[in-house]
Amino acid sequence: MKIAFYGTKPYDRIWFEPMGKEYGFDIHFIEAACNPETVFMAKGHDAICVFVNDHVDAGMIDALYEMNVKAILLRSAGYNNVDVKAAEDKIVVLRVPSYSPEAVAEFSMAMLLAVARLTHKAYNRTRDFNMSLNGLMGVDFHEKTAGVIGTGKIGQAMIRILNGFQMEVICYDPFPAEGLEAEYVPLEELFRRSDVISIHCPLNMETRHIINEQSIAAMKKGVYLVNTSRGGLIDTEALIKGMLEGRFGGVGLDVYEEEEGVFYEDRSGDIITDDNLARLMTFPNVLITSHMGFFTREAMQAIAKTTLENAYALENGLPLANQVGKEMAL
Ligand code: NAI
């Protein structure tokens, strides 16, 4: 199988290169992201491999179909960036439903702890030998209330971590899981009661802007919010308004509504034209990272393994356990 591997970063090769060889795949590593301008590079390949910020729309799917590309191999769990409905009957879409939920949950807690204890500020300060503690007072999480939105694999891993902090954990999910050390409550109650809110649901029509002006108004003043799921879950303008009103103790954002083309790239020499992103960067209690919750050795290895297993199953006519069917369209 010949695979056009879009958006290659040096760390992608660590596992994909040797594992791909073991399978006998011919992987063509392309640095460019997959978009309407670069889709032609898929010509001559059986599959394309894409990541979260490669956008594959209906027009591109038609182009891939014309080029006889058989599969879109997502090296991610989320698939909101691929028009799954348009792909129906044309191209098989396969994903990596689970690799290391703990990687994302642990990172969510790392972000929460950073903004609650201001370690990101302390780090810069002590490097200047400024050992003053003024402005660095944090809060305990112990015995506070944590609200988890979405109790799938990552949400459940987060609940286990929060349990370890001896927090009272409440959660919301339209499809409740059993056996969690957490109490399911309506979403409005979660917003009202939580000292800490962590979002772990997918982005779809229903969840888009689940954090909006109204939900922010319902939250406790001084709430800590972390989003490691998808940027579109938060209405950025409403978040900025809430920040300006001093409603948040701290916010951790690993994802951002307009991250495409910015996250994963070195834009340090560019003029940033996204005023909302620039504004968010000015708040001392907002920590922004570049969609890296998944980024551990364990997770990267597991992603490569499952992505290539998916390709192998397709090539050999085996059952496609990780196919994204049209019924899953967002
Ligand atoms: P999952 O599919 O195991 O769980 C998602 C949960 O959200 C399910 O229990 C589902 O019922 C629930 N849900 C659906 N609609 C909801 C709604 N309206 N309100 C509340 N909950 C709702 O997915 P998993 O693996 O736990 O991933 C969660 C999200 O994390 C993914 O959708 C993805 O966007 C994000 N993610 C981020 C990564 C990063 O690097 N920052 C890496 C991997 C995933």
Side-chain angles (χ1 to χ4, degrees):
M1 182 181 273
K2 285 183 91 174
I3 302 171
F5 192 104
Y6 280 97
T8 308
K9 302 288 179 205
Y11 47 79
D12 288 314
R13 291 176 178 257
I14 299 172
W15 283 285
F16 273 101
E17 213 163 277
M19 283 189 199
K21 278 193 188 127
E22 276 173 34
Y23 276 105
F25 294 146
D26 181 0
I27 305 181
H28 177 200
F29 290 98
I30 301 168
E31 280 185 26
C34 188
N35 58 40
E37 283 80 49
T38 60
V39 70
F40 74 92
M41 294 168 101
K43 199 169 169 53
H45 296 84
D46 305 296
I48 63 164
C49 183
V50 298
F51 196 47
V52 291
N53 286 336
D54 293 300
H55 220 91
V56 189
D57 61 23
M60 290 164 69
I61 284 173
D62 284 341
L64 291 166
Y65 184 64
E66 299 257 302
M67 287 182 244
N68 217 13
V69 172
K70 304 273 183 308
I72 298 170
L73 304 169
L74 278 156
R75 49 183 195 277
S76 64
Y79 50 87
N80 54 292
N81 49 325
V82 173
D83 191 332
V84 176
K85 271 199 186 130
E88 194 197 352
D89 302 328
K90 289 185 180 151
I91 293 182
V92 176
V93 182
L94 295 152
R95 68 173 183 140
V96 182
S98 175
Y99 35 95
S100 172
E102 284 73 20
V104 185
E106 287 173 14
F107 192 78
S108 307
M109 186 45 114
M111 291 196 98
L112 279 173
L113 286 173
V115 289
R117 302 303 303 269
L118 301 154
T119 44
H120 56 301
K121 289 185 76 182
Y123 171 80
N124 287 323
R125 213 181 259 198
T126 54
R127 287 174 80 83
D128 265 348
F129 281 91
N130 174 355
M131 301 300 182
S132 152
L133 296 184
N134 292 335
L136 296 184
M137 196 187 301
V139 294
D140 283 11
F141 281 171
H142 183 240
E143 293 185 347
K144 296 266 171 64
T145 302
V148 174
I149 303 175
T151 58
K153 290 176 285 296
I154 298 172
Q156 290 185 29
M158 188 64 182
I159 289 172
R160 289 192 289 274
I161 292 172
L162 296 165
N163 290 152
F165 275 69
Q166 293 176 319
M167 298 185 80
E168 180 186 15
V169 187
I170 56 177
C171 54
Y172 170 75
D173 194 310
F175 307 99
E178 282 183 12
L180 307 184
E181 257 185 76
E183 177 199 354
Y184 280 98
V185 297
L187 193 55
E188 306 71 46
E189 186 177 335
L190 183 146
F191 288 136
R192 189 165 37 82
R193 282 176 54 194
S194 300
D195 299 294
V196 165
I197 296 175
S198 195
I199 314 173
H200 302 289
C201 60
L203 175 64
N204 56 35
M205 304 282 270
E206 216 177 291
T207 59
R208 188 170 178 275
H209 289 181
I210 198 166
I211 304 297
N212 53 43
E213 206 169 327
Q214 206 185 350
S215 50
I216 291 171
M219 290 176 198
K220 271 190 186 176
K221 193 154 193 271
V223 64
Y224 289 88
L225 173 72
V226 66
N227 183 13
T228 56
S229 283
R230 285 294 179 267
L233 296 166
I234 297 183
D235 176 347
T236 309
E237 307 243 328
L239 178 70
I240 291 172
K241 185 165 175 279
M243 287 299 306
L244 290 169
E245 290 168 0
R247 302 197 64 86
F248 292 96
V251 175
L253 302 175
D254 188 42
V255 286
Y256 169 63
E257 267 190 291
E258 305 296 331
E259 69 180 52
E260 212 178 301
V262 181
F263 281 25
Y264 300 133
E265 306 303 327
D266 179 357
R267 303 285 302 271
S268 54
D270 298 347
I271 305 287
I272 297 301
T273 51
D274 181 335
D275 287 350
N276 282 343
L277 184 59
R279 189 71 182 94
L280 283 172
M281 294 288 187
T282 66
F283 297 112
N285 53 346
V286 172
L287 178 61
I288 297 179
T289 51
S290 188
H291 204 145
M292 60 182 287
F294 71 98
F295 199 42
T296 65
R297 294 187 65 81
E298 292 79 2
M300 290 298 285
Q301 189 168 9
I303 288 170
K305 185 170 176 287
T306 307
T307 306
L308 296 172
E309 278 170 2
N310 287 342
Y312 180 82
L314 182 72
E315 190 176 45
N316 292 283
L318 302 173
L320 300 176
N322 299 326
Q323 184 166 4
V324 184
K326 70 164 192 305
E327 71 288 352
M328 294 164 73
L330 303 171

